[in-house]
């Protein structure tokens, strides 16, 4: 048995011997010695001799010219005391396969919606070569790991086989995905892996239900306000173009639009577009409504009128949404620019230092590296396509209802091999990914790992310049929460009357999740084959539903004393999805909405948002004002993250005393409800989700149980309102 302290000395002797024998060569680098195989020491041959262990049966292979050196050598398997001897099999399967079979090396790539359009088109072109008119190169991808992005009718060439990693949600999805293969000659192999969840296991036992089912064409619900808003905005653009616009009226890049806003030039976009709408508002509304031949309801027309006539100060109007979205982009760009200016000042000061420490060059390089990263962020924001901005903001039609998103800005850095100690020698790349807030609240939080584009990065910073640190007060018994104030500190819960409302332990600090960063070295970010599974993190989360009684627009109940069941339509309810930190047995026990659990929160610097990984690992950005100060007040030790939106909802009072005891019944009810919604509206209703909630019964120990059906699109699409008619 080797003693760990002697291992380094043993390797030195082994490497020295291999170098002396001409097998290895050594090179000195800035970080130490590196050994590598000498090319002339390699012996490539097509003549292979097999050797077999006489004790365990292990089979090894060697070049025929070297087999004499292997014969009699110890078995390569650990804990085996046997030796190798020449072995001549009667039939060598692999020898026949490699000599006569059609063997291809796999070049796998990812095809996801996270790729830019240019990257995705280049990947598709290479994958379907030579059918795309491009000669196939040996290194072109011949295997794709894809999300449902390949459903959208993309021509992907001579695809002969595919594997679905789970059973698709519907028959139309199944046919679209399996239909990607065999489009050239009609022959294909399609395999589906059934995961261990009820949906997949059902179709595993009843496969014909998926294979032979009819596909219902999707419908369009014209009462959906979110659909109408997008179509009306697109209609306004069309009518504006018909007036004979110059091609420069709408700048192609977002940077030019933001420049026009800062200059307050009313002849430039978006002011010229807004002026056109204001001048022709009545004609635009009348022309748009005539397209539907009086199929729009009075409520829909009233909604569109408010959407069009609201000013830039009217939240939810076309003007407000356009200006608010552009203003957020402008603030974000100015934040990046101010960071670049601060880094320039730090670089200038660092260069002027007379007494230079041992780490002077390293610190200067880091400043240049971060400056380049932020310059790239400004450039990427300026280069964004203007109409992509409108689509992301939900102001132009898209394939789905866009949900408010959270931005991940990933910064990858690398020092070139021939860097000679000059300042600014770092290479940096920036990648931008956007995730819907519902996914980001669990995927883009501190210390979580994000995988995309063959890389893995760890979230190490929350953008504190886009989000304020807020003091919130939670009710221990119901879902009510509000920003802390002197009035809230003195009374009981305004919803349920809980006396613990004013307790100091119910006051917590939160930040609304809008943007995060991940800074990773090029080497650490690259995915390897060292793990088959990704390591997930699990968090304590709660969806808290809050509303005023005045927003109950309609209600219905079952006329029975034995079965308490009813529902009510909430024209406006506030949903807050709160991430209370990583799950664990330890942490401060906090009771919120009737649930007591450890809520550890996240530890960040309150100034720069850098994630603090441990007690003795203090981290700050290079421009953070707390970088040189050791003050405990600098850190937020139990910070919660949240997302918030206001939408329509239907709240069902469930006739059960305990959800846990009736889980099967509840799931059956949810399935029946979702089926009914799909049949009622036609096609997918993926933007309608369900959650559970409960509230205390006054002066008792009992709690009412509710199922809440809500619209994930902020403001609501009108589906639920129409459902209640």
């Amino acid at each position: 048995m080797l003693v760990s302290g002697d291992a380094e000395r043993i390797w030195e002797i082994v490497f020295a011997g291999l170098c002396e024998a001409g097998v290895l060569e050594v090179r000195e680098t800035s970080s130490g010695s590196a050994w590598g195989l000498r090319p002339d020491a390699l012996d490539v041959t097509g003549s292979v001799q097999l050797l077999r262990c006489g004790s365990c049966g292990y089979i090894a292979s060697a070049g025929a010219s070297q087999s004499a050196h292997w014969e009699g050598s110890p078995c390569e398997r650990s804990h085996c005391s046997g030796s190798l001897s020449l072995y001549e099999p009667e039939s060598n399967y692999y020898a026949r396969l490699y000599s006569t079979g059609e063997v291809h090396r796999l070049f796998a790539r990812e095809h996801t919606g996270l790729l830019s359009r240019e990257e995705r088109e280049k990947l598709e072109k290479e994958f379907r070569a030579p059918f795309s008119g491009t000669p196939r190169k040996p290194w072109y991808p011949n295997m794709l790991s894809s999300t449902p992005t390949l459903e959208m009718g993309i021509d992907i060439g001579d695809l002969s086989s595919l594997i679905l990693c789970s059973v698709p949600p519907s028959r139309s999805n199944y046919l679209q995905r399996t239909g990607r293969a065999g489009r050239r000659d009609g022959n294909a192999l399609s395999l589906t892996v059934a995961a261990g969840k009820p949906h997949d296991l059902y179709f595993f036992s009843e496969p014909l239900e998926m294979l032979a089912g009819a596909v219902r064409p999707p419908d369009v619900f014209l009462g959906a306000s979110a659909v109408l808003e997008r179509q009306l905005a697109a209609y306004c653009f069309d009518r504006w173009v018909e007036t004979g616009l110059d091609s420069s009226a709408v700048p192609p890049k977002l940077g030019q639009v933001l420049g026009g806003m800062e200059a307050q030039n009313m002849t430039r976009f978006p002011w010229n577009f807004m002026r056109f709408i204001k001048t022709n508002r009545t004609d635009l509304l009348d022309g748009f409504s005539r397209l539907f031949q009086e199929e729009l309801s009075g409520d829909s027309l009233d909604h569109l009128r408010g959407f069009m006539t609201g000013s830039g100060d009217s939240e939810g109007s076309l003007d407000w949404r356009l200006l608010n979205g552009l203003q957020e982009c402008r603030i974000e760009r100015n934040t990046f620019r101010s960071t670049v200016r601060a880094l320039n000042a730090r670089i200038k000061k660092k260069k002027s230092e007379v007494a230079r420490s041992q780490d002077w060059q390293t610190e200067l390089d880091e400043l240049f590296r971060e400056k380049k990263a932020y310059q790239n962020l400004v450039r990427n924001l300026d280069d964004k396509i203007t109409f992509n901005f409108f689509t992301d903001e939900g102001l132009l039609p898209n394939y789905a209802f866009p949900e408010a998103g959270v931005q991940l800005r990933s910064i990858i850095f690398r020092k070139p091999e021939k860097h000679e100690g000059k300042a600014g020698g770092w290479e940096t790349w920036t990648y931008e990914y956007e995730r819907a807030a519902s996914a980001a609240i669990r995927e883009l939080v501190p210390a979580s790992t994000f995988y995309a584009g063959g890389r893995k990065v760890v979230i190490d910073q929350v953008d504190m310049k886009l989000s304020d640190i807020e003091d919130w007060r939670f009710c221990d018994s119901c879902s009510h929460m509000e920003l802390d104030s002197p009035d809230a500190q003195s009374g009981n819960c305004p919803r349920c009357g809980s006396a613990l409302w004013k307790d100091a332990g119910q006051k917590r600090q939160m930040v609304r999740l809008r943007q995060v960063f991940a800074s990773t070295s090029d080497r650490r970010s690259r995915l390897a084959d060292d793990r088959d599974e990704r390591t997930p993190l699990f968090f304590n989360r709660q969806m808290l539903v809050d509303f005023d009684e005045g927003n109950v627009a309609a209600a219905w109940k079952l006329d029975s004393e034995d079965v308490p069941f009813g529902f009510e339509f909430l024209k406006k309810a506030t949903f807050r999805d709160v991430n209370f930190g990583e799950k664990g047995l330890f942490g401060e026990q906090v009771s919120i909405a009737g649930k007591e659990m450890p809520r550890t929160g996240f530890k960040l610097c309150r100034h720069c948002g850098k994630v603090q990984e441990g007690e003795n690992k203090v981290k700050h950005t290079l421009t953070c004002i707390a970088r040189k100060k050791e003050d405990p007040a600098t850190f937020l030790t139990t910070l919660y993250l949240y997302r918030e939106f206001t939408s329509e909802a239907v709240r069902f009072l469930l006739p059960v005393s305990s959800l846990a005891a009736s889980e099967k019944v509840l799931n059956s009810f949810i399935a029946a409800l979702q089926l009914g919604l799909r049949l009622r509206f036609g096609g997918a209703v993926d933007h309608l989700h369900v959650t559970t909630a409960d509230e205390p019964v006054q002066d008792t120990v009992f709690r009412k149980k509710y199922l809440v059906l809500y619209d994930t699109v902020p403001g609501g699409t009108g589906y639920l309102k129409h459902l209640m008619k």
Side-chain angles (χ1 to χ4, degrees):
M1 180 180 294
L2 293 175
V3 180
S4 59
D6 297 330
E8 183 176 349
R9 176 57 183 157
I10 292 173
W11 283 119
E12 288 179 357
I13 297 173
V14 171
F15 285 164
L18 291 173
C19 289
E20 186 178 346
V23 176
L24 299 182
E25 67 177 56
V26 61
R27 294 183 182 179
E28 299 300 327
T29 69
S30 58
S31 57
S33 301
W35 288 265
L37 287 169
R38 293 177 58 89
D40 56 4
L42 297 175
D43 183 14
V44 181
T45 177
S47 178
V48 179
Q49 175 67 57
L50 297 181
L51 300 103
R52 184 176 184 178
C53 176
S55 178
C56 69
Y58 170 76
I59 296 178
S61 59
S65 61
Q66 303 292 326
S67 59
H69 299 290
W70 283 81
E71 188 172 9
S73 63
C75 178
E76 292 181 312
R77 298 183 66 178
S78 60
H79 308 297
C80 179
S81 58
S83 58
L84 300 176
S85 58
L86 296 179
Y87 172 59
E88 296 290 343
E90 296 180 1
S91 176
N92 190 327
Y93 168 78
Y94 289 103
R96 294 199 315 274
L97 174 65
Y98 294 145
S99 61
T100 62
E102 189 176 356
V103 181
H104 296 279
R105 180 178 176 182
L106 291 179
F107 293 89
R109 294 282 300 278
E110 292 181 1
H111 187 284
T112 74
L114 294 173
L115 298 177
S116 67
R117 179 179 178 178
E118 292 76 13
E119 291 175 309
R120 194 161 56 245
E121 289 178 347
K122 180 176 181 292
L123 175 60
E124 292 164 7
K125 184 177 181 180
E126 291 179 352
F127 184 77
R128 64 177 189 262
F131 300 103
S132 62
T134 303
R136 170 167 285 280
K137 301 293 178 64
W139 56 85
Y140 277 4
N142 55 14
M143 178 179 179
L144 293 181
S145 173
S146 174
T147 60
T149 50
L150 283 183
E151 281 189 26
M152 306 308 295
I154 299 170
D155 180 8
I156 49 176
D158 191 24
L159 183 64
S160 59
S161 58
L162 61 85
I163 300 176
L164 303 182
C165 298
S166 62
V167 179
S170 67
R171 298 178 182 92
S172 60
N173 297 123
Y174 178 79
L175 292 177
Q176 282 177 313
R177 297 178 193 182
T178 56
R180 297 296 91 207
R183 298 175 71 88
R184 293 288 176 185
D185 56 13
N187 298 315
L189 171 66
S190 299
L191 303 176
T192 303
V193 178
K197 53 185 179 180
H199 171 83
D200 289 25
L201 294 178
Y202 171 79
F203 288 106
F204 178 75
S205 60
E206 300 288 343
L208 291 181
E209 289 289 323
M210 179 65 74
L211 296 173
V215 177
R216 177 176 176 174
D219 296 339
V220 175
F221 172 53
L222 292 180
S225 56
V227 173
L228 294 174
E229 289 172 1
R230 290 159 174 75
Q231 295 294 333
L232 178 54
Y235 179 83
C236 292
F237 266 111
D238 287 342
R239 300 292 77 79
W240 190 36
V241 171
E242 286 180 352
T243 62
L245 288 179
D246 184 83
S247 59
S248 62
V250 181
K253 299 294 181 67
L254 188 59
Q256 297 167 288
V257 178
L258 299 179
M261 287 192 66
E262 291 177 345
Q264 292 290 310
N265 188 338
M266 295 301 165
T267 64
R268 295 175 61 179
F269 189 82
W271 311 111
N272 50 2
F273 177 54
M274 294 166 61
R275 185 174 61 254
F276 169 79
I277 293 175
K278 185 177 181 179
T279 305
N280 303 277
R281 187 175 291 151
T282 302
D283 292 340
L284 290 170
L285 277 171
D286 291 344
F288 182 73
S289 60
R290 283 197 299 269
L291 294 175
F292 299 94
Q293 299 179 352
E294 300 182 353
E295 292 185 11
L296 296 181
S297 66
D299 288 343
S300 295
L301 290 173
D302 289 341
H303 176 83
L304 291 178
R305 193 170 293 109
F307 178 67
M308 285 282 284
T309 58
S311 66
D313 297 328
S314 304
E315 185 172 349
S317 68
L318 176 57
D319 283 3
W320 182 88
R321 290 177 60 184
L322 174 57
L323 292 176
N324 185 67
L326 289 173
Q327 181 68 5
E328 288 186 354
C329 289
R330 191 175 71 86
I331 293 173
E332 187 177 6
R333 186 177 69 167
N334 289 342
T335 299
F336 294 152
R337 285 177 170 176
S338 64
T339 303
V340 171
R341 288 193 294 269
L343 288 167
N344 277 330
R346 292 285 302 275
I347 290 171
K348 184 177 180 180
K349 182 179 179 181
K350 177 62 67 175
K351 286 183 173 180
S352 65
E353 290 180 358
V354 178
R356 299 180 177 181
S357 64
Q358 185 177 358
D359 298 329
W360 181 87
Q361 184 65 57
T362 301
E363 293 173 0
L364 186 60
D365 283 348
E366 289 179 353
L367 288 168
F368 271 103
R369 185 194 77 203
E370 193 156 337
K371 174 189 170 182
K372 286 185 177 180
Y374 276 95
Q375 287 175 328
N376 287 341
L377 293 177
V378 173
R379 189 179 305 111
N380 291 346
L381 188 59
D382 284 343
D383 289 344
K384 188 172 185 178
I385 304 300
T386 300
F387 285 108
N388 283 357
F389 161 80
F390 278 92
T391 303
D392 295 341
E393 289 294 314
L395 289 170
L396 284 180
N398 199 359
Y399 291 110
F401 293 123
E403 182 188 352
V406 174
Q407 197 89 5
L408 164 63
R409 300 190 183 276
S410 175
I411 301 171
I412 306 297
F413 54 87
R414 180 183 70 185
K415 181 178 290 188
E417 181 181 352
K418 295 184 179 181
H419 175 58
E420 298 177 355
K422 297 181 180 179
W426 290 89
E427 293 179 336
T428 61
W429 302 268
T430 59
Y431 300 90
E432 298 179 6
Y433 307 102
E434 186 169 12
R435 298 288 285 159
S438 56
I441 198 66
R442 66 177 184 273
E443 296 178 5
L444 299 184
V445 294
S448 60
T449 304
F450 186 78
Y451 298 83
R455 296 183 184 273
K456 60 176 182 179
V457 297
V458 178
I459 311 302
D460 63 356
Q461 183 184 358
V462 175
D463 193 339
M464 307 297 282
K465 295 178 181 178
L466 291 183
S467 302
D468 296 327
I469 302 168
E470 303 167 343
D471 291 325
W472 285 81
R473 189 166 290 274
F474 293 87
C475 181
D476 66 303
S477 190
C478 73
S479 296
H480 181 62
M481 54 184 289
E482 63 183 52
L483 289 170
D484 195 42
S485 65
D487 292 338
Q489 298 171 14
S490 58
N492 294 340
C493 175
R495 291 283 186 273
C496 69
S498 172
L500 280 178
W501 169 261
K502 55 181 173 288
D503 188 85
Q506 299 304 122
K507 176 183 174 182
R508 298 287 158 173
Q509 290 182 315
M510 296 212 301
V511 164
R512 189 166 184 172
L513 191 62
R514 298 179 186 273
Q515 182 166 270
V516 295
F517 294 90
S519 298
T520 318
S521 69
D522 178 57
R523 179 178 296 180
R524 288 181 57 193
S525 71
R526 294 188 177 277
L527 285 173
D529 296 328
D530 53 344
R531 298 183 65 89
D532 293 330
E533 299 290 336
R534 298 176 178 180
T535 304
L537 292 179
F538 299 97
F539 301 94
N540 282 324
R541 292 170 52 207
Q542 272 183 270
M543 176 69 84
L544 302 175
V545 185
D546 198 10
F547 64 94
D548 292 325
E549 292 294 336
N551 286 320
V552 178
W556 180 93
K557 70 174 183 177
L558 187 66
D559 188 14
S560 171
E561 296 182 358
D562 300 327
V563 183
F565 177 75
F567 58 86
E568 54 192 3
F569 171 62
L570 309 176
K571 62 182 181 181
K572 184 178 180 181
T574 301
F575 297 84
R576 298 184 181 95
D577 191 357
V578 187
N579 190 323
F580 296 99
E582 195 171 350
K583 278 187 176 180
L585 299 176
F586 305 101
E588 184 180 2
Q589 295 283 337
V590 182
S591 180
I592 295 175
K595 295 182 180 179
E596 186 176 27
M597 64 176 71
R599 305 176 194 265
T600 57
F602 302 95
K603 186 176 181 180
L604 311 175
C605 170
R606 67 170 58 249
H607 303 291
C608 66
K610 271 291 187 180
V611 179
Q612 309 303 309
E613 298 178 354
E615 294 295 330
N616 299 319
K617 294 183 179 180
V618 177
K619 290 188 176 182
H620 298 285
T621 63
L622 296 176
T623 57
C624 181
I625 61 174
R627 186 174 174 83
K628 299 293 185 179
K629 301 177 182 178
E630 295 185 7
D631 184 359
T634 296
F635 303 106
L636 303 164
T637 56
T638 53
L639 180 75
Y640 302 156
L641 300 174
Y642 78 102
R643 70 180 181 103
E644 175 184 299
F645 64 95
T646 300
S647 191
E648 302 170 331
V650 177
R651 191 170 74 143
F652 298 86
L653 175 64
L654 299 175
V656 292
S657 58
S658 171
L659 284 175
S662 308
E663 185 176 352
K664 184 176 180 180
V665 176
L666 177 62
N667 289 334
S668 297
F669 176 69
I670 293 173
L673 179 63
Q674 291 174 332
L675 177 61
L677 291 170
R678 185 177 293 272
L679 294 175
R680 172 65 184 83
F681 293 110
V685 285
D686 298 336
H687 59 289
L688 300 180
H689 290 190
V690 295
T691 187
T692 56
D694 56 55
E695 64 180 30
V697 179
Q698 195 83 18
D699 301 325
T700 70
V701 296
F702 300 105
R703 300 182 69 85
K704 294 180 181 179
K705 309 293 182 180
Y706 293 94
L707 180 73
V708 182
L709 173 68
Y710 64 96
D711 200 322
T712 59
V713 178
T717 58
Y719 276 59
L720 298 181
K721 181 179 180 180
H722 183 82
L723 187 67
M724 296 298 295
K725 292 183 178 180

